[in-house]
Amino acid sequence: MSQKLLEKVALVTGGTSGIGLATAKRFVAEGAYVFITGRRQAELDAAVKAIGKNVTGVQSDVSVLADLDRLYTRIGQEKGRLDIIFANAGGGGLAPLGAITEEDFDKTFNTNVKGLLFTVQKALPLLPSGASIILNASTTSIKGTPAFSVYSATKAAVRSFARNWTLDLKERKIRVNAISPGVVPTPGYNLMGLTEAQVQGFVASQADNIPLGRVGTPDEIAKAVVFLASDDSSFVNGIELFVDGGMAQV
Protein backbone atom coordinates (compact mmCIF):
# COMPACT_ATOMS: atom_id res chain seq x y z
CA MET A 1 0.00 0.00 0.00
CA SER A 2 1.03 3.59 -0.58
CA GLN A 3 0.31 4.71 3.02
CA LYS A 4 -1.91 7.56 1.87
CA LEU A 5 -3.33 7.90 5.39
CA LEU A 6 -0.13 7.52 7.35
CA GLU A 7 -0.55 8.54 11.02
CA LYS A 8 -4.12 9.70 10.46
CA VAL A 9 -6.81 8.94 13.05
CA ALA A 10 -10.08 7.77 11.52
CA LEU A 11 -13.57 6.80 12.62
CA VAL A 12 -15.85 4.41 10.74
CA THR A 13 -19.36 4.14 12.15
CA GLY A 14 -21.12 0.89 11.40
CA GLY A 15 -17.75 -0.73 10.87
CA THR A 16 -18.58 -4.33 11.68
CA SER A 17 -19.54 -5.58 8.21
CA GLY A 18 -20.00 -4.69 4.58
CA ILE A 19 -18.78 -1.32 3.34
CA GLY A 20 -17.82 -0.12 6.83
CA LEU A 21 -15.60 -3.11 7.56
CA ALA A 22 -14.01 -3.02 4.11
CA THR A 23 -13.25 0.69 4.55
CA ALA A 24 -11.76 0.21 8.02
CA LYS A 25 -9.44 -2.46 6.59
CA ARG A 26 -8.40 -0.13 3.78
CA PHE A 27 -7.80 2.75 6.19
CA VAL A 28 -5.50 0.61 8.34
CA ALA A 29 -3.67 -0.72 5.28
CA GLU A 30 -3.06 2.89 4.23
CA GLY A 31 -1.47 3.73 7.58
CA ALA A 32 -4.35 5.07 9.68
CA TYR A 33 -5.41 4.18 13.20
CA VAL A 34 -9.11 3.40 13.10
CA PHE A 35 -11.97 3.44 15.58
CA ILE A 36 -14.99 1.44 14.51
CA THR A 37 -18.45 1.32 16.02
CA GLY A 38 -21.22 -1.25 16.04
CA ARG A 39 -24.28 -1.97 18.13
CA ARG A 40 -23.53 -5.64 18.83
CA GLN A 41 -20.44 -6.52 20.85
CA ALA A 42 -19.90 -9.97 19.30
CA GLU A 43 -19.86 -8.59 15.76
CA LEU A 44 -17.67 -5.70 16.90
CA ASP A 45 -15.12 -8.08 18.43
CA ALA A 46 -15.10 -10.17 15.25
CA ALA A 47 -14.49 -7.08 13.11
CA VAL A 48 -11.61 -5.92 15.29
CA LYS A 49 -10.07 -9.36 14.96
CA ALA A 50 -10.54 -9.32 11.18
CA ILE A 51 -8.87 -5.91 10.87
CA GLY A 52 -6.03 -7.16 13.03
CA LYS A 53 -4.07 -4.09 14.08
CA ASN A 54 -4.30 -0.35 14.70
CA VAL A 55 -7.99 -0.57 15.51
CA THR A 56 -10.28 0.00 18.48
CA GLY A 57 -13.90 -1.12 18.59
CA VAL A 58 -16.39 0.94 20.59
CA GLN A 59 -19.87 -0.45 21.06
CA SER A 60 -22.35 2.32 20.33
CA ASP A 61 -25.51 3.22 18.48
CA VAL A 62 -25.26 6.45 16.48
CA SER A 63 -28.91 7.27 17.18
CA VAL A 64 -28.17 7.39 20.92
CA LEU A 65 -26.45 10.69 21.67
CA ALA A 66 -25.00 9.48 24.98
CA ASP A 67 -23.23 6.71 23.05
CA LEU A 68 -21.68 9.30 20.75
CA ASP A 69 -20.52 11.35 23.74
CA ARG A 70 -18.85 8.26 25.18
CA LEU A 71 -17.25 7.43 21.82
CA TYR A 72 -15.72 10.87 21.38
CA THR A 73 -14.56 11.06 24.97
CA ARG A 74 -12.61 7.87 24.36
CA ILE A 75 -11.15 9.04 21.04
CA GLY A 76 -10.14 12.31 22.66
CA GLN A 77 -8.48 10.58 25.59
CA GLU A 78 -6.64 8.02 23.45
CA LYS A 79 -5.68 10.03 20.37
CA GLY A 80 -6.57 13.67 21.00
CA ARG A 81 -7.86 14.31 17.49
CA LEU A 82 -9.82 12.84 14.60
CA ASP A 83 -8.61 13.43 11.04
CA ILE A 84 -11.19 11.39 9.12
CA ILE A 85 -14.84 10.51 9.69
CA PHE A 86 -16.66 7.99 7.53
CA ALA A 87 -20.26 8.36 8.70
CA ASN A 88 -21.37 5.01 7.38
CA ALA A 89 -23.85 3.60 9.91
CA GLY A 90 -27.32 3.29 8.45
CA GLY A 91 -30.05 0.99 7.35
CA GLY A 92 -33.64 0.68 6.34
CA GLY A 93 -36.43 -1.66 5.42
CA LEU A 94 -38.86 -2.21 2.60
CA ALA A 95 -42.35 -0.74 3.01
CA PRO A 96 -44.54 0.62 0.20
CA LEU A 97 -46.60 3.75 0.69
CA GLY A 98 -49.71 2.67 2.56
CA ALA A 99 -47.79 0.24 4.74
CA ILE A 100 -45.23 2.58 6.32
CA THR A 101 -45.49 2.70 10.10
CA GLU A 102 -44.38 5.39 12.51
CA GLU A 103 -41.87 2.90 13.89
CA ASP A 104 -40.41 2.35 10.39
CA PHE A 105 -40.05 6.08 9.89
CA ASP A 106 -38.55 6.85 13.29
CA LYS A 107 -36.06 3.98 13.23
CA THR A 108 -34.73 4.85 9.77
CA PHE A 109 -34.55 8.61 10.26
CA ASN A 110 -33.08 8.29 13.76
CA THR A 111 -30.14 6.29 12.45
CA ASN A 112 -29.60 7.64 8.94
CA VAL A 113 -30.33 11.33 9.54
CA LYS A 114 -30.27 12.18 13.25
CA GLY A 115 -27.48 9.73 13.99
CA LEU A 116 -25.35 10.90 11.08
CA LEU A 117 -25.89 14.57 11.92
CA PHE A 118 -24.78 14.18 15.53
CA THR A 119 -21.95 11.82 14.57
CA VAL A 120 -20.46 14.76 12.71
CA GLN A 121 -21.51 17.61 15.00
CA LYS A 122 -20.25 16.00 18.19
CA ALA A 123 -16.89 15.25 16.51
CA LEU A 124 -16.20 18.88 15.62
CA PRO A 125 -14.06 19.70 18.68
CA LEU A 126 -11.70 16.86 17.71
CA LEU A 127 -11.35 17.77 14.04
CA PRO A 128 -8.20 19.68 13.00
CA SER A 129 -7.99 22.02 10.05
CA GLY A 130 -7.91 19.99 6.87
CA ALA A 131 -9.91 17.06 8.22
CA SER A 132 -12.05 15.01 5.84
CA ILE A 133 -15.67 13.98 6.43
CA ILE A 134 -17.27 11.38 4.17
CA LEU A 135 -21.00 10.71 4.39
CA ASN A 136 -22.44 7.45 3.08
CA ALA A 137 -25.41 8.30 0.88
CA SER A 138 -26.88 6.13 -1.92
CA THR A 139 -27.99 6.17 -5.53
CA THR A 140 -31.49 6.13 -4.05
CA SER A 141 -30.96 9.84 -3.35
CA ILE A 142 -31.76 10.45 -7.04
CA LYS A 143 -33.48 7.27 -8.24
CA GLY A 144 -36.86 5.92 -7.26
CA THR A 145 -37.09 2.43 -5.80
CA PRO A 146 -40.35 0.60 -5.04
CA ALA A 147 -41.15 0.28 -1.33
CA PHE A 148 -38.00 2.18 -0.39
CA SER A 149 -39.21 5.76 -0.03
CA VAL A 150 -38.32 6.29 3.62
CA TYR A 151 -34.75 5.04 3.22
CA SER A 152 -34.36 7.01 -0.01
CA ALA A 153 -35.54 10.20 1.71
CA THR A 154 -32.92 9.78 4.41
CA LYS A 155 -30.19 9.46 1.79
CA ALA A 156 -31.39 12.59 0.03
CA ALA A 157 -31.01 14.34 3.40
CA VAL A 158 -27.46 13.01 3.67
CA ARG A 159 -26.61 14.51 0.29
CA SER A 160 -28.05 17.83 1.43
CA PHE A 161 -25.95 17.72 4.60
CA ALA A 162 -22.77 17.46 2.50
CA ARG A 163 -23.65 20.60 0.54
CA ASN A 164 -24.51 22.67 3.58
CA TRP A 165 -21.74 21.48 5.88
CA THR A 166 -19.18 22.22 3.20
CA LEU A 167 -20.14 25.87 3.68
CA ASP A 168 -20.47 25.68 7.47
CA LEU A 169 -16.93 24.31 7.79
CA LYS A 170 -15.17 26.25 5.06
CA GLU A 171 -13.33 28.53 7.49
CA ARG A 172 -11.79 25.44 9.11
CA LYS A 173 -10.74 23.98 5.73
CA ILE A 174 -12.63 20.77 6.55
CA ARG A 175 -13.85 18.94 3.47
CA VAL A 176 -17.26 17.24 3.41
CA ASN A 177 -18.18 14.83 0.64
CA ALA A 178 -20.86 12.21 0.10
CA ILE A 179 -20.28 8.82 -1.48
CA SER A 180 -23.23 7.08 -3.12
CA PRO A 181 -22.83 3.35 -3.66
CA GLY A 182 -24.99 1.52 -6.16
CA VAL A 183 -26.00 -2.12 -5.79
CA VAL A 184 -23.41 -3.59 -3.43
CA PRO A 185 -24.52 -6.79 -1.68
CA THR A 186 -23.72 -6.71 2.04
CA PRO A 187 -25.20 -8.28 5.19
CA GLY A 188 -27.37 -5.17 5.40
CA TYR A 189 -29.53 -6.54 2.60
CA ASN A 190 -30.59 -9.43 4.82
CA LEU A 191 -31.34 -7.01 7.66
CA MET A 192 -33.98 -5.41 5.45
CA GLY A 193 -36.04 -8.53 5.93
CA LEU A 194 -35.08 -10.22 2.67
CA THR A 195 -34.28 -13.91 2.53
CA GLU A 196 -31.02 -15.00 0.94
CA ALA A 197 -32.94 -16.18 -2.12
CA GLN A 198 -34.65 -12.78 -2.40
CA VAL A 199 -31.31 -11.00 -2.10
CA GLN A 200 -29.81 -13.11 -4.86
CA GLY A 201 -32.84 -12.53 -7.06
CA PHE A 202 -32.65 -8.78 -6.51
CA VAL A 203 -28.92 -8.69 -7.24
CA ALA A 204 -29.36 -10.67 -10.46
CA SER A 205 -32.18 -8.43 -11.65
CA GLN A 206 -30.23 -5.24 -10.93
CA ALA A 207 -27.10 -6.34 -12.78
CA ASP A 208 -29.01 -5.95 -16.05
CA ASN A 209 -29.47 -2.24 -15.30
CA ILE A 210 -25.79 -1.56 -14.61
CA PRO A 211 -23.66 -0.58 -17.61
CA LEU A 212 -20.71 -2.60 -16.26
CA GLY A 213 -22.97 -5.64 -16.18
CA ARG A 214 -22.38 -6.53 -12.54
CA VAL A 215 -22.95 -5.35 -9.00
CA GLY A 216 -20.22 -3.80 -6.88
CA THR A 217 -18.21 -5.06 -3.93
CA PRO A 218 -17.67 -3.42 -0.52
CA ASP A 219 -13.95 -3.06 -1.26
CA GLU A 220 -14.67 -1.08 -4.42
CA ILE A 221 -16.60 1.41 -2.32
CA ALA A 222 -13.84 1.40 0.30
CA LYS A 223 -11.22 2.38 -2.27
CA ALA A 224 -13.32 5.38 -3.27
CA VAL A 225 -13.70 6.37 0.39
CA VAL A 226 -9.92 6.24 0.78
CA PHE A 227 -9.65 8.66 -2.15
CA LEU A 228 -12.01 11.12 -0.46
CA ALA A 229 -10.22 10.71 2.88
CA SER A 230 -6.74 11.27 1.48
CA ASP A 231 -4.85 14.23 0.05
CA ASP A 232 -5.46 12.76 -3.41
CA SER A 233 -8.81 14.55 -3.20
CA SER A 234 -7.48 17.75 -1.61
CA PHE A 235 -9.49 19.94 -4.03
CA VAL A 236 -12.64 17.80 -3.92
CA ASN A 237 -15.31 19.27 -1.68
CA GLY A 238 -19.09 19.10 -1.42
CA ILE A 239 -19.51 16.41 -4.07
CA GLU A 240 -21.61 13.28 -4.36
CA LEU A 241 -19.33 10.58 -5.75
CA PHE A 242 -21.37 7.82 -7.36
CA VAL A 243 -19.72 4.40 -7.22
CA ASP A 244 -22.41 2.47 -9.03
CA GLY A 245 -21.03 1.01 -12.24
CA GLY A 246 -22.87 3.77 -14.12
CA MET A 247 -26.34 2.68 -12.99
CA ALA A 248 -27.56 6.12 -11.95
CA GLN A 249 -25.63 7.97 -14.61
CA VAL A 250 -27.22 6.87 -17.88
Side-chain angles (χ1 to χ4, degrees):
M1 290 287 182
S2 56
Q3 300 288 284
K4 293 179 180 180
L5 305 177
L6 186 63
E7 297 183 353
K8 299 291 187 181
V9 180
L11 167 67
V12 178
T13 61
T16 59
S17 66
I19 292 169
L21 178 57
T23 301
K25 289 179 177 178
R26 280 274 171 186
F27 280 178
V28 170
E30 292 286 357
Y33 190 96
V34 180
F35 290 84
I36 64 170
T37 70
R39 291 177 297 172
R40 294 172 290 274
Q41 189 65 51
E43 285 86 344
L44 190 62
D45 292 342
V48 167
K49 184 176 180 180
I51 295 166
K53 64 177 182 178
N54 295 333
V55 59
T56 295
V58 181
Q59 184 180 20
S60 64
D61 181 336
V62 297
S63 69
V64 178
L65 302 193
D67 283 7
L68 290 173
D69 290 336
R70 179 169 49 81
L71 168 68
Y72 289 127
T73 294
R74 183 164 181 183
I75 293 174
Q77 290 173 343
E78 295 188 10
K79 295 296 181 180
R81 72 178 198 282
L82 188 57
D83 304 297
I84 301 160
I85 298 174
F86 181 34
N88 167 71
L94 296 170
L97 185 63
I100 298 166
T101 67
E102 184 176 13
E103 182 183 8
D104 294 333
F105 180 92
D106 288 345
K107 181 178 179 181
T108 308
F109 267 82
N110 281 347
T111 298
N112 297 2
V113 180
K114 174 185 146 184
L116 183 141
L117 187 162
F118 287 103
T119 292
V120 174
Q121 180 167 289
K122 286 179 174 293
L124 292 178
L126 291 171
L127 299 182
S129 175
S132 177
I133 300 168
I134 304 102
L135 313 179
N136 198 358
S138 170
T139 55
T140 63
S141 67
I142 64 165
K143 289 184 69 69
T145 307
F148 220 31
S149 61
V150 174
Y151 176 86
S152 300
T154 67
K155 293 304 185 177
V158 169
R159 175 61 182 109
S160 182
F161 281 156
R163 289 191 177 99
N164 288 278
W165 295 346
T166 293
L167 298 176
D168 288 344
L169 298 174
K170 67 178 184 178
E171 301 301 328
R172 296 178 59 179
K173 311 301 182 187
I174 294 173
R175 296 184 296 115
V176 185
N177 292 293
I179 190 160
S180 284
V183 181
V184 180
T186 71
Y189 281 39
N190 299 104
L191 295 176
M192 292 179 187
L194 300 177
T195 66
E196 188 59 36
Q198 288 173 322
V199 170
Q200 293 306 317
F202 171 75
V203 167
S205 70
Q206 292 302 301
D208 292 336
N209 300 321
I210 300 172
L212 283 181
R214 64 174 178 83
V215 298
T217 68
D219 191 56
E220 288 178 308
I221 309 304
K223 287 186 283 188
V225 178
V226 168
F227 167 71
L228 293 174
S230 74
D231 287 342
D232 285 350
S233 61
S234 58
F235 200 53
V236 177
N237 199 15
I239 72 160
E240 181 175 16
L241 175 59
F242 288 92
V243 188
D244 66 351
M247 182 179 180
Q249 312 310 311
V250 298

